[in-house]
Amino acid sequence: ENSAKVRSYLEERGITSESIKKNHIGYCPDGNMGSLMNFFQSNKVNKRGVLNSNLLFRKEDNGEWIDFFRNRITIAILDEQSNIVGFSGRSLNENSKSKYINSRDSDVFNKSAILYGLDRTSDNIKLKSQAIVVEGYFDCISGYDKGYQNLVAAMGTQISSDTFEKLRKLVTYDS
């Protein structure tokens, strides 16, 4: 039932199967409490890495592991060198308190310092001397797939002055 809902939502947003793979889009089912921790443990993933991943949290009352992005479509966030540094999760529940949640800030992920999509669009931004900032990840992904390859998306409701400066340096004026 949920997988059909996920596919339907992504199709409505213009996200193709190829784009799902290319952009590391996934889904974390609801009620899947701790399944990610079980996966990490069964594959002998370093516990410190797991705890620092911000993909799980532990309930204080009973110590149970909870998947942070449960019941959400997940989108990998890449830095300018195309390394996955965090995730964003889009709720499928329209009554959710937060439509989007992001990984918590860490040594490698700082929401205000990242423009989504910049890893693949910086060359085109330089070439066209133009950048288009769109509202969200799916706008950026579907626009890029339609040929608008100088799009980036803000990681939240505003762009920091440092991030704006990073973008401004890519746009040159030679007239």
Side-chain angles (χ1 to χ4, degrees):
E1 175 188 333
N2 277 340
S3 61
K5 193 174 180 181
V6 170
R7 278 194 296 275
S8 174
Y9 176 81
L10 293 172
E11 285 173 11
E12 287 172 19
R13 297 301 305 261
I15 308 298
T16 65
S17 296
E18 180 182 330
S19 199
I20 289 169
K21 291 176 191 159
K22 225 175 18 181
N23 292 286
H24 312 287
I25 297 172
Y27 175 67
C28 182
D30 195 17
N32 209 9
M33 305 301 200
S35 63
L36 193 54
M37 178 54 97
N38 294 337
F39 172 81
F40 286 145
Q41 288 174 334
S42 67
N43 286 284
K44 298 183 180 10
V45 175
N46 177 288
K47 190 169 185 170
R48 185 176 310 184
V50 170
L51 297 176
N52 291 334
S53 73
N54 292 325
L55 296 174
L56 301 158
F57 66 95
R58 198 173 217 161
K59 288 175 75 173
E60 288 184 21
D61 59 345
N62 64 8
E64 182 179 34
W65 288 102
I66 307 292
D67 298 343
F68 185 68
F69 291 103
R70 67 194 176 287
N71 199 29
R72 291 179 183 271
I73 297 171
T74 56
I75 304 127
I77 308 298
L78 283 64
D79 66 12
E80 293 173 52
Q81 291 75 42
S82 299
N83 299 306
I84 296 175
V85 294
F87 292 89
S88 183
R90 204 284 186 197
S91 177
L92 291 175
N93 180 351
E94 294 304 320
N95 299 321
S96 178
K97 187 170 78 171
S98 301
K99 189 188 321 186
Y100 283 91
I101 58 172
N102 295 304
S103 295
R104 294 181 295 268
D105 281 352
S106 69
D107 292 341
V108 295
F109 180 75
N110 180 343
K111 182 173 114 170
S112 63
I114 295 176
L115 285 166
Y116 179 81
L118 190 60
D119 62 300
R120 64 179 172 188
T121 61
S122 61
D123 289 342
N124 286 315
I125 290 170
K126 287 178 194 173
L127 184 68
K128 292 184 177 202
S129 198
Q130 178 188 52
I132 300 170
V133 181
V134 296
E135 182 181 6
Y137 312 106
F138 294 122
D139 298 327
C140 189
I141 293 167
S142 63
Y144 187 88
D145 287 349
K146 290 179 176 110
Y148 299 98
Q149 298 185 346
N150 58 335
L151 299 176
V152 292
M155 294 281 305
T157 58
Q158 59 187 354
I159 296 176
S160 71
S161 57
D162 290 343
T163 305
F164 182 79
E165 185 61 23
K166 184 187 306 183
L167 195 55
R168 190 191 66 73
K169 286 178 180 177
L170 294 174
V171 178
T172 58
Y173 300 98
D174 291 336
S175 41

